[in-house]
């Protein structure tokens, strides 16, 4: 039997931006549901962070989430197992108040897991592990140590994995705590990666600039063979363009097709700008297709942001600078906790318009 795995759906992302919601909907309409229909998949596991906001959701975002995801699953009579993630909870020390239970309790096909639980799908025992916090820590580690399941699905924070591409995580649990399992699949980190028996599935679609040029999609897990198949999402939300009019002609400019930039985030990096008229023509052309946001980056300081990794390294350097600054502070407070707080604030800032 094959089951679909999704995670970090973040309905209501980027301050409930309706164009981002429309971008998410394209994935479900054109990629996700056509695939599960074609392959007759009737079970989906959501590995956490279903909703973006920890304390509230707008009515428009909830309506959009139901129309694009929950109602189509209900119509198909598809079972949805939802693991509670850290974005789904109001308080950091307990999962008792969570958006899954409060917003989706009317759906008979949806099963919420705010406590660790063993489920059996097609004869395969699977341990489901929600976000680990003070309130459930003892129970969670007790089940991890005693379970007979060889497969674990969770919303885990493990050291050594990349939160985003180029942004390693130094907080949380040691991955060795899960070495008893043959396979561990987790949500929480938005970059897809594998180390040993542990795989972070990553997000289904782009949501911040840290997702730029990082392949997104969902996964299908075969309970018989225990094979994992990645289904890519072809849609892009973040575009980066370089402007250099050294050898650019008006004919080249007029032939540019900018339609793909509609309803997207665009970063225009200026390498050489010698012709203001030509530059204004390009800006007007981009604005005419109505992007969500256009950011112009002047590279006159020889930042040399020529390849994709340079843009990602900007984010990595920011966290490195923050960590170094905190490490050099002459304070008695717990520097580790302060670093965690600054990392959380930085990640939240990435989603602010």
């Amino acid at each position: 039997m094959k089951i679909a795995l999704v995670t970090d759906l973040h309905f209501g992302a980027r301050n409930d931006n309706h164009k981002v919601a429309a971008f998410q909907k394209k994935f479900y309409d054109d990629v996700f549901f056509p695939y599960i229909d074609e392959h007759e998949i009737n079970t989906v596991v959501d590995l956490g962070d279903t909703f973006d906001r920890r304390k509230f959701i707008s009515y428009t975002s909830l309506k959009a989430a139901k129309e694009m995801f929950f109602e189509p699953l209900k119509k198909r009579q598809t079972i949805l197992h939802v693991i509670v993630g850290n974005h789904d909870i109001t308080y950091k020390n307990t999962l008792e108040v969570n958006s899954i239970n409060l917003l989706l309790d009317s759906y008979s096909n949806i099963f919420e897991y705010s406590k660790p639980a063993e489920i059996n799908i097609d004869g395969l025992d699977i341990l489901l592990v929600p976000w680990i916090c003070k309130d459930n820590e003892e129970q969670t580690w007790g089940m991890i140590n005693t379970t007979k399941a060889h497969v674990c699905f969770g919303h885990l924070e493990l050291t050594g994995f990349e939160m985003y591409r180029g942004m390693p995580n130094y907080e949380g649990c040691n991955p060795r705590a899960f070495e008893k399992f043959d396979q561990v699949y987790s949500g929480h980190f938005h970059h897809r990666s594998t180390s040993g028996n542990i795989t972070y599935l990553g997000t289904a679609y782009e949501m911040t600039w840290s997702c730029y040029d990082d392949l997104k999609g969902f996964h299908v897990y075969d309970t018989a063979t225990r094979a994992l198949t990645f289904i890519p999402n072809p849609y892009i939300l973040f575009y980066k363009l370089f402007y250099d009019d050294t050898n650019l002609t008006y004919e080249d400019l007029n032939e540019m097709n900018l339609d793909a930039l509609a309803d997207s985030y665009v970063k225009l990096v200026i390498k050489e700008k010698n012709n203001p008229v030509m530059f204004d023509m390009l800006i007007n052309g981009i604005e005419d297709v109505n992007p969500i946001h256009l950011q112009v980056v002047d590279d006159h300081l020889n930042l040399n942001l020529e390849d994709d990794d340079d843009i990602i390294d900007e984010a990595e350097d920011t966290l490195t600078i923050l960590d170094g600054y905190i490490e050099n502070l002459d304070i008695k407070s717990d520097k580790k906790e302060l670093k965690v707080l600054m990392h959380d604030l930085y990640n939240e800032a990435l989603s602010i318009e």
Side-chain angles (χ1 to χ4, degrees), residues 122-141:
D122 193 36
L124 178 66
D125 291 328
I126 303 172
L127 178 66
L128 303 183
V129 180
W131 180 251
I132 302 175
C133 64
K134 183 178 180 181
D135 192 42
N136 69 0
E137 187 174 15
E138 183 177 350
Q139 180 186 15
T140 299
W141 290 116

Side-chain angles (χ1 to χ4, degrees), residues 42-80:
N42 56 20
T43 301
V44 178
V45 180
D46 173 1
L47 280 70
D49 281 2
T50 305
F51 295 99
D52 189 65
R53 305 244 191 174
R54 294 175 174 87
K55 295 187 177 181
F56 61 89
I57 185 172
S58 76
Y59 294 137
T60 54
S61 291
L62 181 58
K63 180 175 182 291
K66 288 185 175 183
E67 289 177 351
M68 76 174 81
F69 187 60
F70 301 112
E71 288 297 330
L73 288 175
K74 178 182 178 181
K75 181 181 179 180
R76 291 169 170 78
Q77 298 182 326
T78 300
I79 297 298
L80 175 63

Side-chain angles (χ1 to χ4, degrees), residues 139-185:
Q139 180 186 15
T140 299
W141 290 116
M143 288 202 68
I144 290 173
N145 292 329
T146 59
T147 183
K148 302 299 182 182
H150 296 286
V151 178
C152 175
F153 295 163
H155 195 85
L156 311 171
E157 185 175 44
L158 303 178
T159 59
F161 289 86
E162 292 177 298
M163 298 179 283
Y164 300 95
R165 186 161 63 93
M167 294 172 60
N169 174 61
Y170 302 107
E171 309 296 336
C173 305
N174 190 318
R176 293 180 60 185
F178 292 84
E179 62 185 6
K180 68 175 290 183
F181 297 100
D182 295 334
Q183 297 170 315
V184 178
Y185 298 109

Side-chain angles (χ1 to χ4, degrees), residues 226-241:
R226 300 193 188 183
L228 186 72
T229 302
F230 176 65
I231 313 301
N233 175 6
Y235 296 117
I236 297 173
L237 187 61
F238 295 87
Y239 289 88
K240 181 182 62 175
L241 305 177

